[in-house]
Amino acid sequence: MAAPKPVPKVLLFTQALVFPKDRPCPGPLMLTGNGNVQLMVGSWDALELGADSNVTINGGTYSGSNTVEPAILINGDNAYVTSANINGPGQGLSLGKTSACVNNNTFGVGTGLGSAIYSNSTTNRGSGNVLNGLNSNLTPGTCVGP
């Protein structure tokens, strides 16, 4: 018998608040002000029992807080990032795992971003991203989210 397909999770973080899929964020999401990475999808949990994967980021504004860390750091497989506005300073989006789909995001011009997208795997794909002249090594291609 084949293993069941993982159920995609939709997580929206604003500081310490989590909005599950059945109770979405009550308004537009803007994430700024942390002293480090603004949003991180980990490849581990605090108890080392599992990893975040199949996570969707749909919309919102994410602004970096320093020139070293990315605004969004994804270290979980099969992430889907769409319709987000990502600003600097620092790096915009860092994809450390595989099979991400990154479509239709806008990277802020004049916000201090050093690069838009850094992908650690050629299996990460995307299209329709507005890079505004910033660098990206994301593999071009079509992909669909959950």
Side-chain angles (χ1 to χ4, degrees):
M1 177 181 241
K5 288 180 84 175
V7 176
K9 296 177 259 182
V10 175
L11 303 176
L12 298 176
F13 297 89
T14 175
Q15 301 296 332
L17 301 175
V18 177
F19 299 99
K21 187 176 183 179
D22 60 339
R23 288 178 285 137
C25 179
L29 177 69
M30 179 176 280
L31 193 65
T32 62
N34 293 324
N36 212 330
V37 172
Q38 299 301 304
L39 174 64
M40 184 174 112
V41 175
S43 59
W44 62 93
D45 66 9
L47 300 175
E48 298 183 12
L49 300 173
D52 293 331
S53 60
N54 303 295
V55 173
T56 295
I57 298 171
N58 186 349
T61 299
Y62 307 86
S63 296
S65 63
N66 63 61
T67 59
V68 177
E69 301 292 343
I72 301 174
L73 173 61
I74 297 180
N75 280 325
D77 292 321
N78 305 311
Y80 180 52
V81 183
T82 185
S83 305
N85 295 303
I86 302 171
N87 300 312
Q91 183 181 332
L93 173 62
S94 179
L95 303 169
K97 290 290 184 169
T98 61
S99 302
C101 179
V102 181
N103 291 331
N104 305 314
N105 300 287
T106 301
F107 294 85
V109 66
T111 64
L113 278 176
S115 64
I117 303 170
Y118 171 76
S119 173
N120 201 34
S121 171
T122 58
T123 65
N124 297 323
R125 299 192 183 285
S127 64
N129 296 296
V130 179
L131 302 177
N132 285 314
L134 298 166
N135 295 330
S136 172
N137 70 340
L138 181 67
T139 303
T142 57
C143 56
V144 294

